[in-house]
Amino acid sequence: MEFKHITVLKNEMIHGILTNPNGIYVDCTLGGSGHSLALAKHLQKDALLIGIDQDEAAVKAAKGVFDTLPCRHHIVRSNFSAVQDVLKTLAIRHVSGFMFDLGVSSYQLDEGMRGFSYMHDGALDMRMDQRNPITAEMIVNTYSEQQLTRIFSEYGEERWASRIAKFICKHRKLSSIKTTGELVSIIKAAIPAGARREGPHPAKRTFQALRIEVNQELSRLEKAISDCIDCLESGGRIGVISFQSLEDRIVKKTFRALERDCICSPDMPICTCGGNHKKIRVIGKAVKPSAQELALNPRARSATLRVAERV
């Protein structure tokens, strides 16, 4: 299957982070290369565009695309949490802009055997990096009922977390859970019929939680954003697109902390740090997709873009 992904908030991202047409830019979540392609149209031939992705399929697809770019370019297969290591290897100290498009891509959702979608039957995988030894199948078949409850509640904000975990543990005593179809059936059985008739697909939150746990998405995000901001040149910008409240909360929290002049504890009666610790300023308000974009791509409905600039 060809790696295809409908790029969300493409023009808004480019408008938000482009400050230097001759600069160095890093797409930390390359995916289908949509944001990189859009950005490259505004870059001069001496500019450098670096694409990072942990998904082997994304990296392979991007190589052909990047060969057509008018500017200098480099592709690295890695996780965005290792962005500083990537830059160090390339002998780069300062960057003009960073882009993040978080979550799962259209390709990953539509490729049933990757296991990301509750709409397609396939192996319970959910790995964004195929080198990762942890799969969703391993988690649902080996984690304790308490661990599963915590994951579904914390990462999926699932109201029926404990009941779903109980049903999973009961089922796996009879046979291992190996496919997304099997898991969806168990989730539907666990959630009362009345609750299933309201809101999104009954498996949506559980699948989200498993995906986050498999790929350690949230635990890596805050550090990655901070690391990128440390590498920004003065006036350089970072743009982050999130697709669910947990991601967006981390982005807001990280930006807010780095936007403060004072880093003293709120409990301190007076400032003892001396102030002047502000690293960024947030640019504008959070950006949401337009009605026109949503009509073309309903999957964009939960997207939120936040942009910050190094001071």
Side-chain angles (χ1 to χ4, degrees):
M1 180 177 177
E2 185 181 353
F3 198 108
K4 290 184 178 181
H5 176 64
I6 303 175
T7 308
V8 175
L9 293 168
K10 178 169 59 179
N11 296 328
E12 293 84 349
M13 172 68 87
I14 306 310
H15 176 76
I17 68 130
L18 180 61
T19 58
N20 178 9
N22 289 297
I24 299 173
Y25 291 86
V26 182
D27 188 340
C28 295
T29 50
L30 188 55
S33 304
H35 287 111
S36 285
L37 277 173
L39 177 62
K41 294 177 181 178
H42 300 274
L43 299 180
Q44 300 298 316
K45 64 179 182 179
D46 290 331
L48 174 62
L49 179 56
I50 302 166
I52 300 174
D53 206 291
Q54 60 186 333
D55 192 312
E56 182 182 16
V59 170
K60 285 182 177 179
K63 287 179 179 177
V65 174
F66 266 49
D67 286 342
T68 67
L69 300 184
C71 62
R72 296 183 297 140
H73 52 269
H74 201 88
I75 299 174
V76 180
R77 186 182 180 191
S78 185
N79 184 271
F80 57 58
S81 62
V83 63
Q84 287 195 346
D85 292 333
V86 170
L87 295 177
K88 185 177 180 180
T89 300
L90 297 174
I92 294 171
R93 293 185 61 188
H94 296 108
V95 172
S96 303
F98 289 95
M99 300 186 289
F100 284 81
D101 183 2
L102 302 173
V104 64
S105 71
S106 299
Y107 165 83
Q108 290 165 333
L109 283 172
D110 294 335
E111 180 59 54
M113 291 309 297
R114 296 294 297 273
F116 289 101
S117 176
Y118 43 79
M119 302 299 291
H120 303 285
D121 192 24
L124 263 177
D125 194 320
M126 299 194 191
R127 293 175 298 172
M128 291 181 176
D129 186 339
Q130 294 89 338
R131 298 167 298 186
N132 180 3
I134 307 298
T135 65
E137 180 184 344
M138 182 184 299
I139 290 171
V140 299
N141 286 296
T142 63
Y143 276 29
S144 69
E145 184 177 328
Q146 291 73 23
Q147 287 175 306
L148 291 174
T149 299
R150 179 190 64 80
I151 291 168
F152 300 157
S153 177
E154 187 175 332
Y155 296 158
E157 299 179 298
E158 172 57 69
R159 175 186 175 190
W160 304 98
S162 61
R163 187 172 166 86
I164 293 170
K166 184 177 292 185
F167 272 58
I168 287 174
C169 292
K170 181 179 179 181
H171 186 281
R172 72 190 191 192
K173 288 180 180 178
L174 302 175
S175 63
S176 296
I177 304 166
K178 295 186 176 295
T179 69
T180 54
E182 287 179 81
L183 182 59
V184 168
S185 296
I186 294 168
I187 294 168
K188 286 182 176 179
I191 299 177
R196 293 201 308 271
R197 286 193 288 267
E198 301 174 0
H201 191 285
K204 179 179 180 179
R205 295 185 179 90
T206 302
F207 270 61
Q208 172 183 299
L210 285 170
R211 192 198 80 220
I212 290 172
E213 175 68 10
V214 168
N215 299 288
Q216 294 296 299
E217 295 172 44
L218 300 183
S219 62
R220 293 169 168 170
L221 181 56
E222 183 175 348
K223 179 182 183 298
I225 293 173
S226 297
D227 285 350
C228 287
I229 289 171
D230 284 342
C231 296
L232 277 175
E233 64 189 16
S234 179
R237 293 185 175 185
I238 178 173
V240 185
I241 297 174
S242 59
F243 286 85
Q244 37 101 341
S245 60
L246 297 174
E247 293 172 338
D248 189 47
R249 213 171 292 154
I250 291 173
V251 178
K252 284 194 294 184
K253 174 187 172 185
T254 307
F255 279 6
R256 191 180 299 123
L258 296 174
E259 195 179 27
R260 291 171 53 202
D261 287 308
C262 173
I263 59 173
C264 294
S265 167
D267 299 328
M268 295 286 288
I270 60 172
C271 173
T272 59
C273 74
N276 298 318
H277 293 282
K278 185 174 183 177
K279 285 189 175 182
I280 63 169
R281 70 183 182 95
V282 174
I283 305 297
K285 296 181 179 180
V287 180
K288 302 290 290 184
S290 65
Q292 183 179 6
E293 179 171 5
L294 290 177
L296 295 172
N297 181 20
R299 284 177 176 172
R301 63 186 176 275
S302 58
T304 302
L305 168 66
R306 297 184 187 274
V307 178
E309 179 179 282
R310 182 70 193 253
V311 298

